[in-house]
């Protein structure tokens, strides 16, 4: 993988995020705010960050694992291509998406 990483992006929709991740030639950073212990998993695009609601509790890394599972499914990316760069114990996290073409 190239050492190039785009600065943090803020897509306005799921379609835009999917398009960016699938067509990028570099890894992509995205800031998200997570609400654990929600009724169901969902994603919402706000002006300042992406809000992700996760059904798992923020205990023993369960919510973090579920974030990666959830995003892996909706972005059609392997789980190994999504990393939490910082904020593992915070609701505000910086995620790294590595496009499939960089494997």
């Amino acid at each position: 993988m190239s050492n190039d990483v785009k600065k943090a992006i803020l897509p306005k929709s799921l379609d835009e995020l999917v398009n960016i991740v699938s067509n990028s030639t570099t890894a992509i950073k995205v800031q998200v705010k997570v609400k654990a212990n929600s009724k169901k998993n969902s994603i919402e695009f706000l002006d300042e960050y992406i809000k992700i609601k996760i059904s798992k509790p923020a205990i023993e890394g369960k919510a973090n694992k579920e974030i990666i599972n959830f995003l892996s499914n909706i972005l059609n990316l392997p789980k190994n291509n999504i990393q939490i760069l910082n904020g593992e114990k915070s609701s505000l996290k910086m995620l790294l998406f590595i496009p499939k073409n960089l494997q």
Side-chain angles (χ1 to χ4, degrees):
M1 183 182 95
S2 169
N3 288 337
D4 294 337
V5 176
K6 286 187 179 179
K7 68 179 188 172
I9 62 163
L10 185 57
K12 299 295 181 197
S13 69
L14 181 56
D15 287 341
E16 184 180 349
L17 178 60
V18 169
N19 186 42
I20 291 169
V21 171
S22 61
N23 294 314
S24 182
T25 57
T26 62
I28 301 156
K29 290 193 286 188
V30 177
Q31 187 167 16
V32 300
K33 188 165 187 176
V34 177
K35 182 179 183 317
N37 233 10
S38 295
K39 289 184 181 181
K40 64 179 185 173
N41 293 349
S42 66
I43 187 166
E44 185 178 350
F45 294 82
L46 305 174
D47 289 337
E48 54 279 344
Y49 54 81
I50 297 172
K51 184 176 185 179
I52 299 176
K53 292 182 180 179
I54 295 296
S55 60
K56 301 286 184 187
I59 299 170
E60 299 172 356
K62 290 179 183 178
N64 288 339
K65 288 178 188 169
E66 186 64 14
I67 291 165
I68 292 172
N69 289 337
F70 176 59
L71 292 172
S72 172
N73 287 331
I74 64 174
L75 296 173
N76 193 27
L77 270 181
K79 293 175 192 168
N80 290 341
N81 289 38
I82 302 171
Q83 300 170 9
I84 299 174
L85 291 179
N86 59 40
E88 285 202 9
K89 294 185 178 186
S90 169
S91 63
L92 201 57
K93 302 177 185 306
M94 183 65 71
L95 302 180
L96 180 70
F97 296 99
I98 304 164
K100 287 180 186 178
N101 60 0
L102 296 181
Q103 289 179 309

